[in-house]
Amino acid sequence: MGYKKLRLLLKFETNYVTPLMADTLFGEFCWVYGWLKGEDELKRLLRDGKPIAFSDIFPEGYLPFPKYPKDPFSVSPETPEEYGRFKRLKKRRYLEKEIFKECIEKGGSFESILCCIRDKVLEVLKKEEEEGKKKEIIATEPSIHVSIDRIKGTAAEGKLYHLEETFTEKGELYVLYKEELLSKDDIKEIFQILGLVGVGAKKSAGKGKFSVEVSEGWDLPEVKEKNWFISLSTGLPRGDEVEEYYAEFFTKYPKHGREVAIPRVFKNPVILAKPGSVFKISEERKQNPEEPYGELKSGVSPLSDKGHRHSFLIVPLFVG
Amino acid sequence: MKKLADILEIRGTIKLITGLHIGAGKDEVKIGGMDNPVIRNPLNGEPYIPGSSLKGKVRMLLELYYGLFEPNKGDVFSYEVYRKMKKELNNERIKVAKNLLRLFGTSGSDFKDFEKLPPEERREIEEIASTRISFYDLKLTEESRKELRERIGGLMTEEKTEVKINRITGTSFGGALTSKERIPAGTKFEFKLCLKVFEGDNEEELLDLVKKGLRLLELDSLGGSGSRGYGKVKFRSEKYGEGKLECISHLKKREPFALDLSSAF
């Protein structure tokens, strides 16, 4: 059973509220799939275990910055300027895709690829310092909202709340899917609908809208040796799939969307790894290294008995 | 799980007849900056109309028009309010009330005693759940963007100064001078909203509510200081003309059709 690769280019028409993580996209995808094909078809799709996996959405031309706390990323800086640059290197969320491509094409071991990434990013940071400007690719802004009192016509007492909104122009998303279960056209149609109605919180109030272009394959170079991968998704591999890792874990409190009428919108908290986490695959997974890692977990949602699953699936990007 | 019957995209332009102020709600004041700035996109600095302002105002106007809101607190019309009011409503108003909830959605707090509810009420909630309407944040049209840049410059807005008049002296009241940033009259924004129609929904009734809501917005105002003449708007479709919007079906093979706001009432 083979997986096919797709790359989705999203042109944002509005800003968004919920961070566009892989598990959120999986949930949104399943709702639209069910609305179009029916509940039975959705259950059949989910029975497979790994029908489709999404990466998080990154700004166009960027990948998650790899997390690798040991050498070569912890070289001691010699000047205050270098120290400042190393600090900014550590805080980087995104890596220019061009730098990644250049370093992969240069070849070498996993460590030498990371060294190349470090050197190239430091060059970019130095150039930014010299030119005195930094291109904003993504911005977050707080916004204040209030409900209107229907009697007084003024702001309602106790109804003031604030949201953190993210602004970016274009985003990219990498997909692995089983072609015997889904087609490129199915995925395109579902993302077109998601773009129209919006994704994440406040979608009915103007957020999370986009148009989408779908292309087959990824525009990323491949390595011959498939031992280490950078995770492109918010997710978690199973214990038997990896043997070493440099990951940043966090606790997520996932929520159900407004699509379901349940008394408790929160699912159970889950521990996930952020995109950019680096994993070394186990011997067992060397037979089929390119399949998504992780699983669709039951027991996270209060509706697990009705077939609800939470995606821990990870799209891997191999680096040697 | 409900099945989706169609997705309707309603689009056109929204033109400002008077200056519009939708505040950014800034918690900081910059030296030399305006007191009441309008909301802007931080990436390109352009002012925009948040979909939340549109949704909130249209919902409020429809609730006022039908008298469907929490009668003591003036709160939003939620399923909980509907459940309390249900006995007093006739069949026609129950239909409107349910369509309002279908369109604008329900709140999580509506379901807190969900499991204790009788089965028919649970079925009703499940049928209503999933917000049908989806507003968009509105961007400037290309024409307005160009015009504002040429006429005003990068800021694209005007500053309106207002003062309170002292009722005795007939002159300005000390300390009552305020200034507000406004998007100037004549500016156009690209308008778009989407409507999910599920099997079992009455598309005509939902569209009629949308039409009424948008017409009420034209008759009332958008944003702040509406009673002082701010935020009067008009809808227009390139294809169908003034007071109309274009409606496109995404899942059914139907020709686009006009949504005529002038026939709303």
Side-chain angles (χ1 to χ4, degrees):
Chain A
M1 287 202 285
Y3 280 86
K4 287 199 89 176
K5 290 176 174 176
L6 287 181
R7 186 170 72 94
L8 273 59
L9 186 63
L10 314 181
K11 193 175 171 208
F12 285 100
E13 292 185 37
T14 70
N15 39 332
Y16 54 87
V17 177
T18 306
L20 300 174
M21 295 179 185
D23 56 339
T24 305
L25 293 172
F26 186 86
E28 299 270 12
F29 179 90
C30 287
W31 277 108
V32 178
Y33 187 88
W35 287 340
L36 292 174
K37 315 238 175 202
E39 195 168 343
D40 291 343
E41 276 299 303
L42 175 63
K43 281 184 174 163
R44 194 183 62 84
L45 184 78
L46 294 179
R47 262 200 301 273
D48 176 79
K50 291 181 184 183
I52 185 165
F54 302 102
S55 73
D56 284 23
I57 295 177
F58 309 110
E60 189 196 12
Y62 290 83
L63 291 166
F65 201 81
K67 299 185 192 309
Y68 191 60
K70 290 205 289 186
D71 291 337
F73 273 21
S74 60
V75 174
S76 304
E78 285 170 8
T79 63
E81 289 79 19
E82 269 185 25
Y83 179 76
R85 252 170 259 149
F86 273 99
K87 273 198 94 173
R88 279 188 283 141
L89 177 86
K90 275 185 165 182
K91 283 183 185 168
R92 272 219 149 193
R93 278 177 70 196
Y94 301 112
L95 168 69
E96 288 84 347
K97 212 183 323 186
E98 287 312 312
I99 292 180
F100 177 80
K101 281 182 187 173
E102 218 178 298
C103 292
I104 292 284
E105 272 155 15
K106 223 166 139 186
S109 65
F110 164 57
E111 278 82 7
S112 62
I113 289 169
L114 286 183
C115 275
C116 170
I117 289 174
R118 176 200 63 194
D119 295 341
K120 296 276 173 197
V121 173
L122 285 172
E123 274 173 36
V124 170
L125 292 172
K126 198 175 174 193
K127 208 175 158 196
E128 276 175 8
E129 268 170 37
E130 284 163 4
E131 288 173 0
K133 60 177 180 186
K134 192 179 161 246
K135 196 184 151 205
E136 289 286 348
I137 48 163
I138 194 159
T140 52
E141 276 273 299
S143 64
I144 296 173
H145 302 260
V146 72
S147 154
I148 309 168
D149 187 315
R150 270 57 176 160
I151 299 168
K152 296 179 195 156
T154 55
E157 197 75 25
K159 294 280 179 179
L160 191 77
Y161 64 100
H162 115 277
L163 291 172
E164 200 70 39
E165 297 184 16
T166 307
F167 296 75
T168 188
E169 284 175 4
K170 284 181 182 173
E172 263 178 311
L173 166 68
Y174 300 90
V175 182
L176 286 175
Y177 70 99
K178 266 187 186 165
E179 56 180 331
E180 56 270 36
L181 294 172
L182 288 156
S183 72
K184 179 188 162 191
D185 289 340
D186 285 337
I187 298 166
K188 189 177 174 183
E189 186 186 16
I190 290 172
F191 269 86
Q192 278 169 340
I193 292 177
L194 284 176
L196 274 171
V197 299
V199 290
K202 297 286 163 193
K203 54 189 157 208
S204 69
K207 310 301 167 203
K209 311 291 199 300
F210 55 81
S211 59
V212 63
E213 276 173 39
V214 180
S215 50
E216 278 178 36
W218 294 353
D219 60 343
L220 296 166
E222 287 199 29
V223 288
K224 280 185 194 154
E225 291 287 316
K226 290 189 168 62
N227 295 313
W228 288 89
F229 70 81
I230 299 176
S231 159
L232 295 182
S233 320
T234 299
L236 196 72
R238 285 201 325 261
D240 59 352
E241 290 179 322
V242 292
E243 55 186 39
E244 243 184 279
Y245 56 83
Y246 302 102
E248 189 179 343
F249 299 104
F250 72 108
T251 307
K252 185 169 178 174
Y253 298 88
K255 274 170 82 178
H256 273 290
R258 290 283 159 78
E259 288 81 5
V260 284
I262 46 168
R264 189 164 64 94
V265 292
F266 280 100
K267 300 180 182 179
N268 293 327
V270 289
I271 292 172
L272 298 171
K274 288 188 180 174
S277 297
V278 181
F279 296 95
K280 187 182 184 189
I281 67 170
S282 63
E283 283 304 314
E284 295 98 275
R285 279 305 305 262
K286 284 193 175 160
Q287 307 300 320
N288 52 350
E290 300 218 37
E291 278 189 9
Y293 289 75
E295 62 190 319
L296 295 181
K297 256 203 183 327
S298 59
V300 178
S301 160
L303 297 172
S304 287
D305 56 333
K306 290 185 181 167
H308 283 243
R309 300 283 179 270
H310 193 87
S311 172
F312 281 43
L313 296 174
I314 282 178
V315 172
L317 176 63
F318 282 93
V319 279
Chain B
M1 181 180 258
K2 293 185 277 271
K3 275 199 93 178
L4 201 55
D6 203 357
I7 293 180
L8 298 173
E9 180 186 334
I10 299 167
R11 67 183 188 191
T13 57
I14 188 167
K15 185 182 175 182
L16 306 185
I17 306 302
T18 61
L20 172 75
H21 173 84
I22 297 179
K26 291 274 180 203
D27 47 8
E28 59 178 39
V29 178
K30 285 183 185 163
I31 296 168
M34 233 170 276
D35 284 351
N36 297 296
V38 296
I39 192 159
R40 290 174 186 274
N41 179 326
L43 285 183
N44 57 22
E46 286 181 9
Y48 70 98
I49 301 178
S52 55
S53 298
L54 282 163
K55 186 188 173 192
K57 193 63 191 263
V58 169
R59 182 177 196 168
M60 186 202 79
L61 290 168
L62 281 170
E63 288 178 7
L64 286 180
Y65 178 74
Y66 287 107
L68 293 168
F69 52 88
E70 209 287 321
N72 303 314
K73 294 183 203 153
D75 204 355
V76 178
F77 186 66
S78 60
Y79 188 82
E80 215 178 323
V81 179
Y82 163 70
R83 201 185 308 152
K84 283 181 200 158
M85 289 173 80
K86 205 173 169 181
K87 280 179 201 155
E88 302 154 24
L89 303 176
N90 61 24
N91 286 346
E92 196 53 37
R93 291 189 79 210
I94 284 179
K95 201 161 76 178
V96 174
K98 282 166 77 174
N99 277 335
L100 268 178
L101 292 170
R102 280 188 192 100
L103 264 190
F104 294 100
T106 45
S107 139
S109 60
D110 287 345
F111 313 132
K112 58 178 184 269
D113 296 321
F114 184 71
E115 263 126 36
K116 293 175 198 157
L117 295 175
E120 66 274 13
E121 218 163 301
R122 280 161 63 164
R123 267 197 301 278
E124 189 178 58
I125 295 177
E126 277 170 347
E127 192 274 313
I128 285 170
S130 191
T131 312
R132 300 335 190 240
I133 205 162
S134 191
F135 282 87
Y136 275 59
D137 287 347
L138 309 186
K139 286 180 193 165
L140 292 166
T141 61
E142 204 45 58
E143 182 198 349
S144 279
R145 183 176 292 126
K146 210 175 147 202
E147 208 182 320
L148 288 173
R149 282 226 170 97
E150 279 169 10
R151 279 174 43 206
I152 303 174
L155 211 57
M156 299 177 154
T157 49
E158 62 187 15
E159 188 177 355
K160 187 169 182 297
T161 309
E162 293 174 0
V163 73
K164 192 159 86 177
I165 299 166
N166 185 316
R167 269 56 175 169
I168 300 167
T169 59
T171 58
S172 60
F173 211 96
L177 188 76
T178 54
S179 67
K180 265 198 171 124
E181 188 180 23
R182 302 200 311 181
I183 308 169
T187 308
K188 289 180 197 157
F189 289 86
E190 285 166 14
F191 175 79
K192 189 157 140 181
L193 73 78
C194 278
L195 185 67
K196 290 198 292 260
V197 182
F198 288 105
E199 283 177 0
D201 287 351
N202 187 323
E203 183 190 295
E204 213 176 305
E205 284 172 10
L206 292 177
L207 270 179
D208 188 59
L209 267 185
V210 173
K211 207 157 80 172
K212 282 191 167 71
L214 297 178
R215 178 66 187 138
L216 285 167
L217 185 68
E218 279 190 334
L219 295 169
D220 197 81
S221 63
L222 182 65
S225 304
S227 66
R228 274 181 274 160
Y230 288 38
K232 305 291 171 202
V233 297
K234 275 264 173 246
F235 290 97
R236 188 179 195 283
S237 154
E238 279 302 308
K239 200 169 171 183
Y240 299 108
E242 211 65 44
K244 295 185 179 77
L245 290 165
E246 188 182 4
C247 203
I248 300 161
S249 157
H250 278 274
L251 298 184
K252 288 180 181 165
K253 285 186 177 119
R254 279 195 283 174
E255 284 298 307
F257 57 96
L259 192 73
D260 185 0
L261 306 186
S262 61
S263 68
F265 296 102

